[in-house]
Amino acid sequence: VFNAEIYFQSSKNEFDLNQEIKLPIYINSDKESINTVDLEIYFNNELLEFSGYIDNQDFNKKYFASPYSKDNKIYLTFIIPNGVSGIYDPDVRGIKDLHIVDLLFKTKKPGQASFIFVKNDILKNDGLGNSLALNKKDLSITIRDNISQNKDLSVDNKPPLAFEISFIKGDKNNNIDDILVFST
């Protein structure tokens, strides 16, 4: 039994049609420093549509392959310069699990859908390229017909106030992405 694990963290397992799903992925490295993450994740593309990802800034990572979808799988590969074993959480005064990325999906049809780690190569930061032995926790969800039929819906007919959007051009040579800035 390994104490290290890779898992999805979802606050619920039931979703409605045409609902956006944010699916965070975490790694508990069991205090082992890691420097490479190479994942392949299966999902049912008849029930779900991959709509992108949110890259958190908890730690420095360099993508070889940013999360992308091909057929019914999500692929992503990145390195972590100098390695990392966890992130310090001042609220609990200890190390919390590594929040890798948030995958975004939209539900298309009702049914049972799964997210399965097909490949989960996590390499230790030991200079030898050794793999971290870990347990994987896949996730199953239910997509149901909209249950809001019996609920009163309130429609917001009031448009938002206008807001200004500023574009700041990045510098690819210094690894700085383009930025949109706005406030509302």
Side-chain angles (χ1 to χ4, degrees), residues 8 15-25 41-45 47-54 67-76 101-108 113-116 139 141 143:
F8 298 101
F15 299 91
D16 294 328
L17 283 177
N18 299 314
Q19 185 175 354
E20 294 289 332
I21 299 174
K22 183 168 128 177
L23 191 60
I25 299 176
I41 301 163
Y42 165 84
F43 72 100
N44 186 327
N45 60 357
L47 303 179
L48 297 159
E49 176 184 331
F50 178 65
S51 56
Y53 69 99
I54 300 172
Y68 70 95
S69 174
K70 184 176 178 189
D71 298 324
N72 62 347
K73 292 182 183 166
I74 305 293
Y75 300 88
L76 68 117
V101 69
D102 293 335
L103 299 178
L104 305 174
F105 295 89
K106 185 171 183 178
T107 59
K108 297 189 325 188
S114 296
F115 300 94
I116 300 169
L139 177 68
I141 65 167
I143 303 168

Side-chain angles (χ1 to χ4, degrees), residues 163-169 178-184:
F163 60 92
E164 182 179 321
I165 298 176
S166 301
F167 179 77
I168 301 172
K169 181 75 176 145
D178 296 339
I179 300 172
L180 284 177
V181 179
F182 59 92
S183 178
T184 182

Side-chain angles (χ1 to χ4, degrees), residues 27-127:
I27 294 178
N28 173 350
S29 69
D30 195 28
K31 299 178 185 171
E32 184 76 48
S33 181
I34 62 172
N35 66 7
T36 304
V37 174
D38 186 12
L39 300 178
E40 184 178 312
I41 301 163
Y42 165 84
F43 72 100
N44 186 327
N45 60 357
E46 292 179 13
L47 303 179
L48 297 159
E49 176 184 331
F50 178 65
S51 56
Y53 69 99
I54 300 172
D55 186 15
N56 63 54
Q57 302 297 319
D58 285 352
F59 57 93
N60 184 25
K61 62 183 93 138
K62 303 291 182 198
Y63 281 101
F64 287 128
S66 297
Y68 70 95
S69 174
K70 184 176 178 189
D71 298 324
N72 62 347
K73 292 182 183 166
I74 305 293
Y75 300 88
L76 68 117
T77 304
F78 62 84
I79 62 168
I80 306 165
N82 301 317
V84 66
S85 60
I87 303 297
Y88 180 76
D89 184 352
D91 293 334
V92 296
R93 295 184 183 178
I95 301 296
K96 66 179 182 178
D97 295 348
L98 293 170
H99 182 182
I100 298 301
V101 69
D102 293 335
L103 299 178
L104 305 174
F105 295 89
K106 185 171 183 178
T107 59
K108 297 189 325 188
K109 289 170 133 178
Q112 286 292 125
S114 296
F115 300 94
I116 300 169
F117 292 105
V118 177
K119 175 182 177 185
N120 51 299
D121 291 339
I122 313 298
L123 302 183
K124 296 179 183 179
N125 188 32
D126 60 4

